[in-house]
Amino acid sequence: MTGMLARYEKLVAAGELRSDPDQRRAAERLDRLQKDLEAETSGGLLSQLFRTKKTRPQGVYMWGGVGRGKSMLMDLFVETLSIGEKRRVHFHEFMLEVDRLIREERKKEAGDPIAPVAARFARDIRCLAFDEMVVNNTADAAIMARLFTALICDEGVAVVTTSNRPPSDLYKDGLNRSLFLPFIELVQAELDVMPLNGPTDYRLDRLGDIDTWHTPLGDEATAQVREAFFRLTDYKPEDAEHVPSGQLDLGGGRTLHVPKSLKGVGVFSFKRLCGDNRGAADYLAIAHAYHTVIVVGVPRLSPENRNEAIRFTKLIDALYENRVKLFVTAAAEPEDLYVAGDGAFEFERTVSRLKEMQSAEYMARGHGAD
């Protein structure tokens, strides 16, 4: 099988990828990790039996803005890694599995469940690859340091992960964040942190001529935001029925169901976001968790649905202030959504923001508040 770096260079030579210094450095580092893992497993049973902490391959943490090629590099790495004991999984899905295994271990009443859960993963895995490490769940944050210390330091599993944020910004402003700080220290000590945070957003290139605002409501508008979702997430359209959903922690024991949630892209209905009684804190949680939000079914607004209009304004404020990319299907253009009646004047500020959010300058900004 062709190695990681050779495959990357072949794609650049063929014009399928642009030459990018940050990507090449990451490809070289992942290629070295491949060689370390393959050399370790090629020694057979005795090599694995006498494996020590000092010789365990060091994992990699790649972080950067949307479209910098992190998922592409992860795909190449896993595809070209010639060992059987590897697994690529979305981080949210992995933590749900961890939660299930912890519950099973607790039923045995045999002490701390973390170590045996880590050992269960390590039995079949030498390299664990995560796409999109994002932490917005208090329960996950509380156990991650112990879990990954057991996986990396005790079991010797090599971890490779991508994230939109540097380690120090994970779970930023989260509830009881002090419980999470040991995990950040672990990442900085045990993983090779590699930034891919240059100005070029290759994923935006793939959007091509797809606009961000689509009107009127109907099949054509839906098809456009659907296509944007698949281009932004690299998910195969033919497997659309299996796009994962998510549960967003809103704090206080409340969660929000996200019908489509993948690689930092969340899909919501206007009715779910603005028809229910929600406040600014809920919309901030969405803005922090997702770099791109797709909202479908925005109706015309008027005094008759004033409450929904107010919530929509709060949603747009949260997304705008956190530089979240927004795709919408709506009954009208922003300036025609709320044209008359009580509340129309106040809505003009939201119209201004919606127009700016469609601009190339706004779309090129990185995720997160200034």
Side-chain angles (χ1 to χ4, degrees):
M1 180 182 292
T2 304
M4 166 78 194
L5 184 57
R7 183 72 67 84
Y8 174 79
E9 290 176 336
K10 184 177 181 180
L11 290 170
V12 172
E16 295 184 42
L17 295 176
R18 296 184 191 177
S19 179
D20 183 293
D22 283 352
Q23 285 187 5
R24 181 176 177 83
R25 280 191 289 271
E28 290 172 347
R29 180 63 185 86
L30 292 169
D31 190 75
R32 292 200 302 274
L33 176 56
Q34 278 190 342
K35 289 180 170 60
D36 289 342
L37 287 165
E38 290 162 1
E40 180 188 60
T41 57
S42 66
L45 183 59
L46 285 177
S47 173
Q48 297 178 47
L49 181 63
F50 292 102
R51 182 174 66 225
T52 66
K53 293 180 182 179
K54 290 183 179 179
T55 60
R56 70 173 183 267
Q58 183 185 29
V60 177
Y61 181 106
M62 294 183 289
W63 71 274
V66 180
R68 288 293 293 129
K70 303 182 299 294
S71 295
M72 176 273 296
L73 290 168
M74 176 73 81
D75 287 337
L76 284 180
F77 170 76
V78 175
E79 180 183 344
T80 57
L81 178 59
S82 60
I83 66 172
E85 301 84 3
K86 61 182 178 181
R87 182 180 176 191
R88 186 192 195 284
V89 62
H90 192 271
F91 189 72
H92 175 70
E93 179 185 339
F94 175 77
M95 291 307 295
L96 289 175
E97 185 176 355
V98 167
D99 184 57
R100 177 179 59 80
L101 293 176
I102 286 176
R103 290 197 302 270
E104 291 179 8
E105 289 294 331
R106 282 177 174 157
K107 291 177 182 178
K108 300 176 184 179
E109 299 182 354
D112 187 358
I114 297 296
V117 167
R120 287 176 67 171
F121 283 111
R123 278 200 298 266
D124 304 313
I125 300 171
R126 288 294 302 121
C127 182
L128 193 53
F130 298 114
D131 200 16
E132 191 64 31
M133 179 177 281
V134 57
V135 185
N136 47 42
N137 180 289
T138 306
D140 289 349
I143 67 168
M144 282 177 62
R146 290 187 296 137
L147 173 67
F148 281 90
T149 296
L151 280 170
I152 297 170
C153 301
D154 299 338
E155 301 294 342
V157 174
V159 170
V160 179
T161 186
T162 69
S163 179
N164 291 328
R165 301 174 181 271
S168 59
D169 283 357
L170 288 173
Y171 198 52
K172 195 171 184 178
D173 302 323
L175 186 64
N176 295 323
R177 190 172 187 256
S178 60
L179 298 175
F180 184 73
L181 296 181
F183 175 76
I184 295 176
E185 295 171 0
L186 176 74
V187 168
Q188 293 171 334
E190 298 293 338
L191 301 185
D192 196 352
V193 178
M194 303 206 67
L196 284 85
N197 208 31
T200 305
D201 186 340
Y202 298 110
R203 190 170 292 164
L204 284 182
D205 287 347
R206 275 179 278 158
L207 283 172
D209 58 356
I210 295 180
D211 293 328
T212 59
W213 192 276
H214 300 276
T215 186
L217 296 173
D219 292 343
E220 184 176 347
T222 300
Q224 287 291 300
V225 295
R226 183 177 182 270
E227 178 66 17
F229 177 86
F230 290 124
R231 293 192 192 183
L232 287 166
T233 61
D234 304 311
Y235 203 82
K236 297 179 180 178
E238 57 267 26
D239 200 25
E241 293 182 0
H242 301 105
V243 175
S245 60
Q247 293 292 330
L248 180 62
D249 184 4
L250 298 177
R254 297 183 307 119
T255 61
L256 172 64
H257 177 70
V258 186
K260 307 292 182 185
S261 176
L262 185 64
K263 294 185 179 181
V265 182
V267 180
F268 304 85
S269 69
F270 175 89
K271 184 177 181 181
R272 174 63 63 89
L273 285 186
C274 303
D276 296 341
N277 186 19
R278 302 197 181 281
D282 293 356
Y283 300 131
L284 281 174
I286 294 170
H288 292 162
Y290 294 98
H291 60 70
T292 301
V293 166
I294 297 174
V295 181
V296 298
V298 178
R300 290 185 181 273
L301 302 170
S302 68
E304 282 69 37
N305 54 6
R306 177 76 186 278
N307 289 335
E308 288 88 339
I310 291 173
R311 295 183 195 119
F312 185 65
T313 294
K314 292 179 180 178
L315 169 66
I316 299 307
D317 285 345
L319 300 182
Y320 176 87
E321 288 162 7
N322 286 274
R323 301 185 291 191
V324 176
K325 294 171 177 58
L326 176 67
F327 290 80
V328 174
T329 67
E333 295 290 346
E335 61 269 27
D336 297 323
L337 276 181
Y338 200 152
V339 295
D342 181 36
F345 177 78
E346 291 84 350
F347 194 75
E348 290 181 4
R349 177 171 172 271
T350 300
V351 171
S352 176
R353 290 194 159 184
L354 288 172
K355 300 298 284 186
E356 182 182 344
M357 292 169 81
Q358 297 178 50
S359 69
E361 180 182 0
Y362 179 89
M363 292 290 286
R365 297 172 185 170
H367 178 220
D370 289 324

